[in-house]
Amino acid sequence: MVIAVVLTVGKYLFLLLVYLFVYRVFRGMMAELTRAEAPQPAPARSARAVRRQRAAAPSRRAREPVPAAAATSRPAPVPAPPPASEPPPRPRLVVVKAAEDNEALPPEIPLSAAATIGRGPDNSITLNDRYVSGHHAQIHLREGRRFLLDRGSTNGTLLNGRPITGEVEIGDRDQISIGATIFEYRMS
Amino acid sequence: MSQARRNELLLLLLAALIVGLGAVLVCLGMGYPLWRATRALAIVGAAIGAAIMLDLADPRRDRWLLPLTALICGVGFLLLWQLSEHQAARQVVWMLTGAGMLVAVYYLIEDVRDLSRLKYTAGVGGVALMVATMVWGVEAGGARLWLGIPGLFTFQPGEIVKVLMCIFLAGYIADRAELLRQDTSRVAGVALPRLRHIAPLLLIVCFALAIFVFQRDLGAAVLFFGLFVAMVYLATLRKSFVLVALLFFALGGVGAYYGFHHVATRVDMWINPWQAPTEGGYQILQALFALGEGGVLGTGFASGWGAAMPAATTDLIFAVGAEQLGLVGALGLLLLLALVAWRGFAIAWQSTDRFGALLATGLATVFSLQTLVIVGGVTKLIPLTGITLPFVSYGGTSVVVNFIALSLLLAVSRDCIPHRSDED
């Protein structure tokens, strides 16, 4: 019967096309995810999106960073060099949120070539916070770039909401969470 | 046109081709007049229309979910069409409604964070709906799962409650993630979030679970529990919590087995359905027969005994698909569903907003768990439960609510990194 043959051939064709679809989506999604590792330039946005972004900007500081979901942190995008007419760069940590009992912490902490952060008194930045380890983290300068390093702390160090493993480069406006304190790294 | 947009359109066209081919085959096999095959294309057409309308609002969104959903819906329609033309026609209406709701919700929600403010409303609303269903629900098949006026308009609040609970849990946990993660107390040598942070959450979850089990909606109970565990784990990253939760689940399961008769029946039928092949075990046995009949490559469209199975269009729709399309086809459908789930989790991972990430995780978890539970039940991997296969099973509320959940995922994907660098 002709119809039986058509149905059978059609069935195989149908299954083949479904798997072709699956394959195309799978390949596309994988390509997109691997491309995600490299920093992307900011796109042109629709008017609505720009309006939304502006409205959200004032609350961006108060907005909590992403939950600690990723196992590895993504390196921060390389920041643009400061324009020549701007004041000279003053690398520093701005304290966005100080933990309780840390009122003595200055609102801004200038950064030198190396700064250690932790609960112990031998750190350059001492935090009085029981969720902070004795030697929690450090920020050091190398080849003109700054890196954040977790020194094996118990509760981890977050960069823009994601826990870091090992050493990660930080860029302007990156948020660093250590215990209940949130710092923002500023280059100028 | 940008690369991403072109991909989406190509995939949608491919979906149209696949569904169209399937529709022609169904018509040939079932003896329908060929022009009716165009009905199947209504679904993909709606998806294309939705894609265009969504781009008018905000083109920075995920490009994979719509084509995947369109194809899944199309395949579901093809299966339903052979089982019951009447139900298939109604399903198309629901899918079109769903597509409309997709666009509407996407437009309405300018910023996903606005939803976070509605978290308590969502939570209370969800609980209220559950209680209302328990008290005023309409009975169907021994369980009160429907609300409304029979004969006129009924819907399954359980589906809506799932999404509402996602919003509530995401909002609540997002606010307290730091506290849940760091403020812990040691219980039996294990670090768990301190009770006062998690107590309101536990109360609501226990209450909801109690209602679900009492309502004999075991699938929903498992779903909800899994959702709760996944989201708290995402916020706290404490595996200890997951282990403790699984322990409670095991204990609860054993308790339910000895405490509730209907639970015991389900589990017994899972272990050995041949004890009662014409009563309790009938459904699962028919499903297994269908799977066997399908073999590797299936019996093809317009064949097989699918229509003879109980609940063929709802609980056992996957078995119908496996019979007609075989192992290969069933795996293909599962892969499509898995890709949707993966995309949901990818959106959560790439989201720049905590609430958005949690919401996406919740929705993706519910979707995945739902699929796993029903497919697992149909294949006798786990006891059979009466939940729907998303986008495939016949059920208006399920389809529309899943489209709304899809819309929420698309809304969250607007704030994702990496931003598409090639938008027009």
Side-chain angles (χ1 to χ4, degrees), chain A residues 7 10-11 14-15 17 19 21 26 28 30 32-33 40 43 48 52 56 64 67-70 74 131 162, chain B residues 11 18 25 58 64 107 110 113 182-183 234 237 297-298 300 328-329 332 342-343 349-350 354 417 420-421:
Chain A
L7 282 180
K11 178 184 74 176
F14 183 86
L15 290 176
L17 287 176
Y19 272 85
F21 187 95
F26 180 74
M30 284 296 289
E32 210 173 74
L33 278 181
Q40 296 287 326
R48 225 174 108 113
R52 199 159 36 86
E64 288 295 334
R74 191 171 293 123
Y131 302 117
R162 298 195 196 293
Chain B
L11 282 172
I18 299 175
L25 292 174
D58 191 337
W64 307 105
Y107 269 76
E110 286 229 17
R113 284 188 287 276
Q182 298 195 335
D183 200 11
L234 176 63
L237 283 195
L297 284 170
V328 172
W342 176 7
R343 204 56 210 142
W349 185 72
Q350 292 172 336
R354 167 175 280 157
I417 41 174
R420 308 318 186 262
S421 58

Side-chain angles (χ1 to χ4, degrees), chain B residues 233-398:
Chain B
Y233 175 67
L234 176 63
T236 62
L237 283 195
R238 291 201 179 274
K239 297 192 188 64
S240 56
F241 175 78
V242 177
L243 289 172
V244 170
L246 284 177
L247 188 69
F248 269 98
F249 180 72
L251 288 174
V254 172
Y257 179 81
Y258 287 109
F260 293 97
H261 172 67
H262 60 272
V263 176
T265 317
R266 288 281 172 92
V267 176
D268 288 337
M269 286 306 114
W270 168 58
I271 294 176
N272 181 12
W274 294 102
Q275 300 170 35
T278 51
E279 295 143 30
Y282 185 68
Q283 231 187 346
I284 183 63
L285 284 175
Q286 295 303 311
L288 293 179
F289 288 147
L291 292 176
E293 190 72 21
V296 176
L297 284 170
T299 57
F301 285 121
S303 64
W305 300 96
M309 285 195 290
T313 54
T314 52
D315 300 342
L316 299 189
I317 190 75
F318 188 78
V320 175
E323 184 178 25
Q324 297 197 335
L325 301 172
L327 176 68
V328 172
L331 275 182
L333 181 61
L334 266 182
L335 281 173
L336 289 173
L337 291 162
L339 286 171
V340 172
W342 176 7
R343 204 56 210 142
F345 287 118
I347 289 174
W349 185 72
Q350 292 172 336
S351 173
T352 54
D353 174 50
R354 167 175 280 157
F355 171 72
L358 279 167
L359 180 63
T361 307
L363 294 172
T365 306
V366 169
F367 183 88
S368 320
L369 279 180
Q370 204 170 330
T371 307
L372 284 171
V373 168
I374 187 60
V375 172
V378 165
T379 53
K380 205 170 155 293
L381 198 63
I382 57 173
L384 187 60
T385 50
I387 56 178
T388 55
L389 187 61
F391 297 119
V392 181
S393 284
Y394 172 69
T397 329
S398 170

Side-chain angles (χ1 to χ4, degrees), chain A residues 89-110:
Chain A
R90 306 180 288 128
R92 62 198 196 280
L93 286 180
V94 173
V95 177
V96 173
K97 182 167 83 91
E100 283 179 356
D101 305 329
N102 276 278
E103 283 79 8
L105 202 62
E108 282 190 12
I109 305 168

